[in-house]
Amino acid sequence: MRTERKLTRLDRVFARLDREPERPAHIDVPRMSRHRVVLFASTLAFYAAIVWAVVITSWLVRLDWQVMFFRPYQQWPEIHAFLDYYVVLGQRGPTAVMIAAWLGWRSWRQHTLRPLLTLGASLLLLNLTVGAAKISMGRLGPHYATSVGSNEMWLGGDIFPSGHTANAVVTWGILAYLASTPGARRWLSAFSAVVSLGVGLTTVYLGTHWLSDVVLGWAAGLLILLALPWFEPLIARAESGIFDLRDAWRDRRRGAAPAEVPVLAPIGSPAGEHEPVVREPVAASRPARPPGHMAPGPHLSRSERTPVTPLGSRRPPQSDRVTRGTTSARPVAGG
């Protein structure tokens, strides 16, 4: 009887993704349209303008100091406990786990890895761009400011632009980017805008960021979302490569077929007289059954049996047989 191999958890996951990735027809991949290019260029110009305004210590820096001296956390202390928890919506670790869980379920349902790969690409771009800007400009935060009215640039800090704000824009905005319908895209865009706006203002309330840090963080996150269509071909190639690796791994797990054993010609036979015969692989040998005419039980071979001397002659008795050398008596006919 043939028994099937018990599937492991990983086998069941692969079985769910066994088909080639088939994106539902109503889900389109965003393209880099002319409208999006204009938005990207405008946001990039706004990003550069904010950086320049801080570098030259313009009115934006004076506004930063005014907000810092206002100390919002002292003006409204009753909401401090709530905002301490709300700001977690901008932390990279918790938000990435929540969004990855949702997009993982979508990948499972739609038989495609695009949602998870898009999230990974956006977080990678976020770390590279925002991290590079933080290190290169080195601005100190409000709690570590050294001189009143200065821009606190290139002093070894890492708060410009705001990472919490940029992360909130990207992680929650990716839901709108991957939405399957225009209505869902509009609602998710409004939701992500409210969440990222609240996270940015919360960091200003807590005194961990300047107001200009938050504004630049919004621009940095929006630039990543607008630039994602340029990376869609790379995401598609990565998805195809992952499925190819999965198929190769599954083939390797199944193993190669048993090799065919050639039977060579006997030694001493003329060359070419006997062609090598290829036999099919033989299954596992089963114990031989005794013939039907033999009684069950162990049977010894002829060489292992104990010789037995027969008693008497093996010839059958014959009453009319005469011993050699004697003449048989015949009746004499009377005359």
Side-chain angles (χ1 to χ4, degrees):
M1 182 178 64
R2 183 179 180 182
T3 58
E4 296 183 356
R5 182 173 59 89
K6 185 178 180 181
L7 297 178
T8 63
R9 186 184 300 272
L10 189 60
D11 291 330
R12 289 194 294 269
V13 171
F14 281 157
R16 180 70 183 181
L17 299 174
D18 189 42
R19 296 183 299 171
E20 290 297 324
E22 297 177 357
R23 193 170 293 108
H26 64 281
I27 298 179
D28 58 338
V29 177
R31 299 183 181 276
M32 205 64 184
S33 61
R34 182 176 301 179
H35 177 69
R36 188 180 286 269
V37 171
V38 171
L39 284 177
F40 181 83
S42 302
T43 307
L44 185 60
F46 179 76
Y47 185 100
I50 296 298
V51 174
W52 179 250
V54 173
V55 169
I56 65 175
T57 316
S58 66
W59 60 270
L60 186 57
V61 176
R62 292 194 296 270
L63 180 60
D64 287 339
W65 281 97
Q66 290 174 2
V67 173
M68 193 271 285
F69 284 133
F70 182 69
R71 290 182 173 84
Y73 57 88
Q74 292 181 355
Q75 302 295 328
W76 303 286
E78 61 275 4
I79 61 174
H80 193 287
F82 169 73
L83 293 181
D84 273 339
Y85 290 100
Y86 181 80
V87 78
V88 176
L89 295 178
Q91 289 185 358
R92 194 160 307 163
T95 55
V97 171
M98 290 187 291
I99 301 302
W102 168 255
L103 295 182
W105 181 82
R106 283 193 56 184
S107 296
W108 177 274
R109 295 288 297 175
Q110 297 175 359
H111 306 282
T112 175
L113 296 176
R114 178 177 169 260
L116 286 176
L117 292 177
T118 305
L119 175 64
S122 63
L123 293 180
L124 181 60
L125 290 173
L126 178 67
N127 290 333
L128 293 176
T129 57
V130 175
K134 283 174 174 287
I135 296 174
S136 61
M137 289 184 281
R139 192 182 189 189
L140 293 176
H143 293 313
Y144 303 96
T146 56
S147 57
V148 178
S150 66
N151 57 14
E152 302 298 322
M153 296 283 283
W154 300 293
L155 295 177
D158 58 351
I159 55 104
F160 187 64
S162 170
H164 271 69
T165 306
N167 182 74
V169 173
V170 171
T171 52
W172 297 106
I174 201 71
L175 297 179
Y177 178 83
L178 294 171
S180 56
T181 60
R185 186 175 295 110
R186 285 192 296 268
W187 280 104
L188 289 173
S189 298
F191 173 76
S192 61
V194 170
V195 171
S196 58
L197 179 65
V199 168
L201 294 179
T202 299
T203 61
V204 176
Y205 168 87
L206 297 174
T208 56
H209 279 287
W210 306 101
L211 182 61
S212 57
D213 298 341
V214 173
V215 175
L216 194 66
W218 286 329
L222 185 58
L223 283 174
I224 293 173
L225 291 178
L226 291 173
L228 277 179
W230 277 327
F231 296 90
E232 285 291 346
L234 182 62
I235 292 172
R237 287 196 295 270
E239 182 184 29
S240 178
I242 291 174
F243 277 102
D244 291 341
L245 289 176
R246 181 205 65 179
D247 294 339
W249 180 79
R250 292 179 65 180
D251 294 340
R252 190 161 51 249
R253 281 193 65 188
R254 293 192 188 100
E260 298 177 344
V261 181
V263 179
L264 302 178
I267 299 176
S269 60
E273 182 177 349
H274 297 278
E275 296 293 336
V277 180
V278 179
R279 296 180 179 177
E280 295 292 333
V282 183
S285 59
R286 292 178 295 179
R289 297 177 57 187
H293 63 272
M294 295 181 62
H299 301 278
L300 300 178
S301 62
R302 180 179 298 273
S303 60
E304 295 176 350
R305 296 174 186 170
T306 304
V308 179
T309 304
L311 298 177
S313 175
R314 295 185 181 181
R315 297 177 180 177
Q318 298 181 6
S319 57
D320 58 347
R321 190 176 185 84
V322 181
T323 308
R324 293 181 180 180
T326 60
T327 57
S328 58
R330 297 180 179 179
V332 179

